[in-house]
Amino acid sequence: MNFSGFYGNQIAKNRLTALAAAGRFPHALILEGPSGCGKRTLAKIIAQAMLCNSKEEKPCGECENCKKAAANSHPDLFVVSGGAGPRSFHIESIRRIREDAFVVPNEGAVKVYILENAGTMTEQAQNALLKVLEEPPAYVRFIMTCESSSQLLGTILSRAPVIPLENLP
């Protein structure tokens, strides 16, 4: 996996590369770490790799899907964010995701949903997300970011591996 522009966190990069190389990349994952550690940057790189058409290392940065993902204009890449305050990520956002998740991708092989600040989801929003995490369509992928995975329900954590990140020294 090509992590161009993402520095440090070698353990996390090795784990993600191994999952991708083995063809065992999960349908959902959680990027956990302190503010400023690069969770958003890494989430976008992973999403770009999932959408990439290259037969070589992904993301290639050259194919149309990579260019659109990098420009935040890919029709199959969605970034949804909760506010900075506790419990500011509401169920309405998750309901929209659940409705859209069952519509096949437009241009990519998959649809990728980046849920930023997932730790600020209300309990109701997390339970609503759980319904699509349990039995997602084969073409749906979720990348959640949070400062601490302890903010998420155990049922969410049981369905998505946690990739811890650290700030650069």
Side-chain angles (χ1 to χ4, degrees):
M1 200 167 190
N2 180 3
F3 294 100
S4 181
F6 184 74
Y7 305 101
N9 288 291
Q10 196 59 46
I11 294 170
K13 291 192 289 191
N14 290 345
R15 184 171 174 198
L16 292 166
T17 299
L19 287 169
R24 296 183 30 222
F25 213 86
H27 74 282
L29 61 89
I30 300 165
L31 302 177
E32 169 191 56
S35 180
C37 71
K39 296 180 298 282
R40 180 181 300 146
T41 300
L42 183 56
K44 290 197 176 200
I45 290 170
I46 294 167
Q48 191 175 0
M50 290 177 177
L51 292 164
C52 183
N53 288 331
S54 175
K55 303 288 186 225
E56 304 297 318
E57 189 174 48
K58 296 180 180 195
C60 69
E62 300 297 320
C63 71
E64 200 61 33
N65 281 343
C66 280
K67 290 177 183 177
K68 285 182 179 182
N72 297 318
S73 63
H74 198 289
D76 298 319
L77 175 58
F78 305 90
V79 179
V80 183
S81 182
R87 306 298 171 223
S88 58
F89 199 135
H90 299 287
I91 193 169
E92 292 80 24
S93 299
I94 301 303
R95 285 182 180 146
R96 284 192 296 275
I97 289 169
R98 280 185 20 203
E99 288 174 13
D100 184 69
F102 291 95
V103 177
V104 296
N106 290 301
E107 295 178 15
V110 296
K111 287 177 108 167
V112 183
Y113 296 90
I114 298 174
L115 307 178
E116 294 180 338
N117 301 319
T120 65
M121 271 193 276
T122 64
E123 187 173 337
Q124 294 83 6
Q126 290 184 55
N127 281 320
L129 177 63
L130 187 59
K131 291 181 181 183
V132 73
L133 280 180
E134 288 174 330
E135 295 182 30
Y139 51 80
V140 171
R141 305 290 183 270
F142 292 97
I143 304 168
M144 295 172 266
T145 67
C146 64
E147 289 194 15
S148 172
S149 61
S150 66
Q151 300 167 311
L152 298 170
L153 296 175
T155 49
I156 299 276
L157 296 172
S158 70
R159 286 161 178 82
V162 177
I163 309 290
L165 302 175
E166 300 173 345
N167 278 328
L168 290 173

